[in-house]
Amino acid sequence: MKLVFFRGHVPNFGDELNLHVWPALLPKGFLDEDESELLVGIGSIIGDHLPEKSRKFVMGSGYAGYMGLPDVNDGTWDIRFVRGPNTAKTLGIDPKLSICDSAILLRAMDLPPPDDSVNIAFMPHYESLERGDWAEACRMAGMTLIDATAPVDTVLSQIRGARLLITEAMHGAIVADALRTPWIGARPIYGGHHKKWLDWAGALNLDVRLNELKPTSVLEYYIGRTGRGGRLGKVGQFNASPLAAIPNRIFTSIAAKHLQQMARLEPQLSSDAKIVEVTEKAQAAVDGFVRSRMAVS
């Protein structure tokens, strides 16, 4: 059975968690390169792009509209649980399968020690690291930048050690909430990333607050105003726009001051009881999955 998850041109914490979680929780030799069976793991990876004839086992994944909607009733899908109620509703499956994002399973694992030097931290979406100057904004704001492209152990240690995490990256919030680090959600500058937050939060009965995030660069401002993401966030009309001549430092300074203001907002955490409940349900789903597959083999 092959583990499938999104991999872009740079590592991304939320997606790279797959290589941290599944090999630790599944029996040795359970995963291999056989594409006749796929473990659909952490991330917004449910879609019609997956091999049509492969048997697909869904373990806490989500649907965010990045790909086309698959026919999960075609006989090749075995859905053990999904990220949240919006995914369940969109796929037309039993709402009881809406448990949580499977990154919750970090709670059942040995983790790196907290980095106590972090204090208040900001974690941008990995795309924002390329488009803006968040390192400078965090320096000006007196915060620690958590780089979503850094090694998973490094990010986990920083999130565990943070007194407060402000995060544009959804898996920053998911992991902070799972590990009980207070967090403040920042609305992603690219609007295409908004809805999946509500999917995850719905599984925890959490009224998530996504606060405005100021751009650190002209390019981020352009993306926020036009809704252009992906390759369109770097090419197209932007290079010919008069906006491109505006110095980025103006935006960076404003963004840094706004981060300081955000740090004074009320942070969020789901209830202790709910986080324990969904952790137990996710663990039970994984245990049942392993037993069923071992019985077949």
Side-chain angles (χ1 to χ4, degrees), residues 211-232:
N211 302 277
E212 180 186 12
L213 186 65
K214 299 290 187 181
T216 60
S217 70
V218 182
L219 179 53
E220 286 187 309
Y221 173 80
Y222 170 78
I223 290 167
R225 292 296 297 269
T226 65
R228 291 176 179 268
R231 290 188 299 275
L232 292 176

Side-chain angles (χ1 to χ4, degrees), residues 59-72:
M59 304 293 291
S61 319
Y63 179 78
Y66 296 146
M67 291 80 68
L69 187 65
D71 177 8
V72 297

Side-chain angles (χ1 to χ4, degrees), residues 193-258:
H193 298 317
H194 294 181
K195 291 183 179 179
K196 61 185 181 181
W197 280 76
L198 304 179
D199 186 37
W200 159 69
L204 293 172
N205 297 333
L206 184 65
D207 184 14
V208 66
R209 299 186 296 272
L210 289 178
N211 302 277
E212 180 186 12
L213 186 65
K214 299 290 187 181
T216 60
S217 70
V218 182
L219 179 53
E220 286 187 309
Y221 173 80
Y222 170 78
I223 290 167
R225 292 296 297 269
T226 65
R228 291 176 179 268
R231 290 188 299 275
L232 292 176
K234 300 179 181 178
V235 297
Q237 299 177 9
F238 174 74
N239 292 336
S241 169
L243 288 172
I246 301 175
N248 282 337
R249 64 179 180 273
I250 297 174
F251 288 89
T252 306
S253 177
I254 293 172
K257 292 177 182 177
H258 188 66

Side-chain angles (χ1 to χ4, degrees), residues 102-236:
S102 39
I104 195 73
L105 294 165
L106 287 167
R107 290 172 53 82
M109 297 170 52
D110 293 329
L111 299 175
D115 180 349
D116 294 329
S117 69
V118 174
N119 197 19
I120 299 175
F122 174 64
M123 185 174 180
H125 191 280
Y126 82 95
E127 292 175 343
S128 295
L129 286 169
E130 300 174 341
R131 297 167 175 169
D133 193 356
W134 288 103
E136 177 63 11
C138 286
R139 186 195 68 78
M140 295 173 68
M143 296 181 184
T144 299
L145 173 73
I146 297 184
D147 184 344
T149 68
V152 168
D153 275 350
T154 298
V155 177
L156 287 174
S157 182
Q158 290 177 315
I159 291 176
R160 293 192 72 198
R163 178 169 65 84
L164 170 69
L165 175 67
I166 303 170
T167 179
E168 183 195 19
M170 183 184 70
H171 273 92
I174 290 174
V175 172
D177 197 81
L179 304 183
R180 306 282 82 186
T181 297
W183 56 273
I184 293 172
R187 184 182 298 110
I189 290 174
Y190 172 53
H193 298 317
H194 294 181
K195 291 183 179 179
K196 61 185 181 181
W197 280 76
L198 304 179
D199 186 37
W200 159 69
L204 293 172
N205 297 333
L206 184 65
D207 184 14
V208 66
R209 299 186 296 272
L210 289 178
N211 302 277
E212 180 186 12
L213 186 65
K214 299 290 187 181
T216 60
S217 70
V218 182
L219 179 53
E220 286 187 309
Y221 173 80
Y222 170 78
I223 290 167
R225 292 296 297 269
T226 65
R228 291 176 179 268
R231 290 188 299 275
L232 292 176
K234 300 179 181 178
V235 297

Side-chain angles (χ1 to χ4, degrees), residues 78-90:
D78 187 333
I79 300 177
R80 299 303 173 107
F81 68 105
V82 295
R83 180 172 60 204
N86 291 353
T87 291
K89 183 178 179 180
T90 302

